[in-house]
Amino acid sequence: VFSIRCGSAIHCPYRASSCNALLGLWFSSMPMGYKNVSDVENVVNNYKKSKIPLDVIWNDDDHMDAAKDFTLDPINYPEQKLRPFLDRIHADGLHYVVLIDPGINVNASYGSFQRGMASDIFIKHDGEPFMGQVWPGAVYFPDFLNPKTVSWWADEISRFHKMAPVDGLWIDMNEVSNFCTGKCTIPNNRPCPGLKEPWLCCLDCTNITATRWDEPPYKINASGKGVPLGYNTIATSSVHYNGVLEYDAHSIYGFSQAIATHAALKNLLNKRPFVLTRSTFVGSGSYGAHWTGDNKATWDDLRYSISTILNFGLFGMPMVGSDICGFYPDENGGTSEELCGRWIQLGAFYPFSRDHSNQASKRQELYLWDSVTISARKALGLRYRLLPYFYTLGYEAHVTGAPIARPLFFSFPLDESTYGISTQMLVGAGVLVSPVLHNMTTTVKAYFPKGSWYSLNDMSSALKSK
């Protein structure tokens, strides 16, 4: 149910085509596991054939050479195949965004690592770069509080952009996430990472407990296990630029990376950049969009997505969304036709709207089911007709800090009946979204605050609420 309140104004303060910062307002698709350029091209073509709006196609680390940042897989994503594909989609007005992680693979033959070591830009522990493990294996973590790191990062983005002219960047794992804990070295007696389970720590590591920063006099229930502060992240006694401890800087790592990435793309593209970041802090909304993390293809997570998005809007992240149809598979190996159909009906009105799943899930492009195709055309078609309104809300968020997606009490603070509602949301002050959130259901019990409401699907249908 999509309703608009009488008196809501629509005004577009700038042309949509100039607003790369709001790239997330357009619908995008990115299940993991796109095996090669041809696979991605087939997805784009199938969306076009199905007449489902698509403006952004994404790659997770599928495009990388052995999961290393700023590289292309020479077999599956060679530059000579990727560039012509990007030329074609850019000519059609589509956009391309890829993932990069902060961890830089410790590899003497890897250019980004070589230049990073030469510029001395990595976080230190006991005077040496702190080693962790992420998807490519052993990594060092850039210190974005260091001005030299910001320059190095911009140079790496520029070098990569010459190979693959991306339209934005997705910065992931930047809490920082680390598959290992403690002080680690590369083992001599086994391969690392392992081929089957690269998320399992394979480095040789020892606990770091000698300082009050690693074992403070108070305890928190870290990870729900009471583990040390440095568990599966950077050791809190590690040192950033100018002697700043990780203990004090941990929460702003993703924030500092977003600022550096935003600046690099702005200087490179000469327009407002698009950055999607997993880790956020106060102020991150000025530099990037956010998605709500690795959800699951369940009806519970469909419902939770509303409150999560509304919370982040109030936290100052106006461009926010959840993975449509679910990232992790359910017990049946993926999303269902019914769930995906209902999810796109809601997800079409997330500020940031993206279909995304992981490699373990069945494919879930919206054109794979006839009923979902019909729902997607209708819901996304309405989203695109409302783009001037969405852009206006983006501008309002920039000027006033007001979220794009809002809880009902935001616009109706005197109506106590709105205080506990987490199954509906407002887009701006005037569009009320009341989705179906349970399986085998075709009706919704929705609350309409005081005013005259009109169905966006049938403007002759009106409801006056007192």
Side-chain angles (χ1 to χ4, degrees):
V1 180
F2 312 109
S3 311
I4 186 166
R5 185 161 58 99
C6 182
S8 298
I10 291 180
H11 168 65
C12 188
Y14 38 64
R15 290 179 63 247
S17 61
S18 70
C19 300
N20 204 47
L22 299 181
L23 199 61
L25 285 179
W26 305 325
F27 177 71
S28 52
S29 179
M30 198 229 69
M32 288 178 66
Y34 288 157
K35 295 179 176 60
N36 50 44
V37 175
S38 297
D39 195 4
V40 179
E41 191 161 25
N42 286 336
V43 170
V44 173
N45 290 338
N46 284 331
Y47 268 98
K48 187 174 183 179
K49 290 176 184 176
S50 302
K51 297 181 180 179
I52 299 174
L54 176 71
D55 273 286
V56 189
I57 191 74
W58 299 62
N59 270 126
D60 201 297
D61 59 4
D62 304 309
H63 68 285
M64 296 180 183
D65 179 12
K68 298 192 296 291
D69 284 347
F70 309 118
T71 64
L72 294 176
D73 182 328
I75 304 299
N76 297 309
Y77 285 85
E79 183 180 355
Q80 62 269 29
K81 290 186 178 179
L82 182 61
R83 284 298 293 265
F85 165 68
L86 295 183
D87 289 343
R88 288 192 292 273
I89 67 168
H90 285 151
D92 288 339
L94 274 70
H95 303 82
Y96 182 60
V97 177
V98 299
L99 173 142
I100 49 176
D101 291 331
I104 299 298
N105 187 218
V106 178
N107 184 329
S109 64
Y110 172 34
S112 297
F113 173 76
Q114 295 169 349
R115 291 183 287 272
M117 290 296 290
S119 296
D120 192 25
I121 53 88
F122 296 111
I123 294 171
K124 302 287 182 63
H125 192 276
D126 289 339
E128 298 293 331
F130 176 82
M131 180 176 287
Q133 180 190 329
V134 200
W135 301 112
V139 297
Y140 293 156
F141 297 104
D143 175 11
F144 290 100
L145 300 185
N146 187 338
K148 290 194 298 183
T149 306
V150 175
S151 298
W152 165 83
W153 188 249
D155 180 61
E156 295 303 318
I157 290 174
S158 178
R159 289 170 181 265
F160 179 68
H161 194 268
K162 291 175 182 176
M163 289 193 298
V166 298
D167 301 287
L169 288 172
W170 167 21
I171 50 178
D172 194 15
M173 307 285 283
N174 55 352
E175 290 80 17
V176 168
S177 180
N178 179 4
F179 299 157
C180 297
T181 300
K183 189 177 179 69
C184 303
T185 57
I186 298 174
N188 295 319
N189 58 351
R190 62 183 181 276
C192 183
L195 296 178
K196 291 186 177 180
E197 298 175 312
W199 55 87
L200 297 181
C201 181
C202 55
L203 300 176
D204 289 331
C205 303
T206 57
N207 290 332
I208 303 173
T209 59
T211 76
R212 60 180 294 229
W213 312 114
D214 299 294
E215 291 286 346
Y218 54 85
K219 302 294 181 184
I220 64 171
N221 192 24
S223 296
K225 306 173 185 178
V227 295
L229 289 178
Y231 178 76
N232 283 166
T233 189
I234 297 171
T236 43
S237 56
S238 299
V239 180
H240 291 253
Y241 175 73
N242 210 23
V244 175
L245 288 171
E246 169 69 8
Y247 182 90
D248 297 312
H250 174 81
S251 294
I252 62 170
Y253 189 91
F255 182 37
S256 61
Q257 186 193 18
I259 293 173
T261 307
H262 183 278
L265 287 174
K266 183 177 181 181
N267 290 333
L268 179 65
L269 303 176
N270 196 31
K271 59 183 176 181
R272 286 184 295 271
F274 177 79
V275 178
L276 180 70
T277 178
R278 189 166 89 176
S279 176
T280 63
F281 193 69
V282 176
S284 291
S286 293
Y287 300 95
H290 176 67
W291 87 108
T292 59
D294 297 343
N295 61 5
K296 195 172 181 179
T298 66
W299 291 91
D300 280 344
D301 279 17
L302 169 63
R303 291 187 286 272
Y304 297 152
S305 73
I306 296 177
S307 57
T308 309
I309 287 169
L310 296 181
N311 280 331
F312 265 95
L314 295 175
F315 298 158
M317 295 294 304
M319 187 62 66
V320 59
S322 293
D323 286 342
I324 294 170
C325 299
F327 177 75
Y328 284 120
D330 65 1
E331 63 276 4
N332 297 313
T335 194
S336 68
E337 178 177 358
E338 183 187 11
L339 176 61
C340 198
R342 293 305 188 191
W343 212 318
I344 189 57
Q345 290 172 349
L346 169 62
F349 296 90
Y350 294 159
F352 171 66
S353 185
R354 180 181 70 163
D355 174 9
H356 180 207
S357 64
N358 83 345
Q359 289 174 319
S361 296
K362 300 173 185 175
R363 295 289 282 260
Q364 61 182 44
E365 288 85 2
L366 302 178
Y367 53 75
L368 293 176
W369 304 274
D370 289 343
S371 67
V372 178
T373 298
I374 294 168
S375 293
R377 286 178 190 152
K378 189 172 184 179
L380 289 170
L382 182 53
R383 177 189 183 89
Y384 277 64
R385 291 197 297 276
L386 290 173
L387 274 183
Y389 181 63
F390 271 99
Y391 274 104
T392 301
L393 295 174
Y395 178 76
E396 184 179 351
H398 167 67
V399 173
T400 71
I404 295 174
R406 306 170 182 180
L408 273 65
F409 65 74
F410 192 92
S411 292
F412 300 92
L414 300 181
D415 184 349
E416 295 184 6
S417 297
T418 65
Y419 293 0
I421 294 177
S422 60
T423 55
Q424 297 170 262
M425 69 181 189
L426 285 166
V427 178
V431 175
L432 178 63
V433 181
S434 306
V436 173
L437 299 173
H438 296 271
N439 65 325
M440 304 297 291
T441 303
T442 57
T443 59
V444 172
K445 185 177 180 180
Y447 180 75
F448 289 86
K450 184 178 180 180
S452 296
W453 296 88
Y454 295 84
S455 170
L456 281 171
N457 292 320
D458 178 7
M459 293 296 287
S460 66
S461 177
L463 182 150
K464 190 175 182 66
S465 178
K466 299 180 181 180

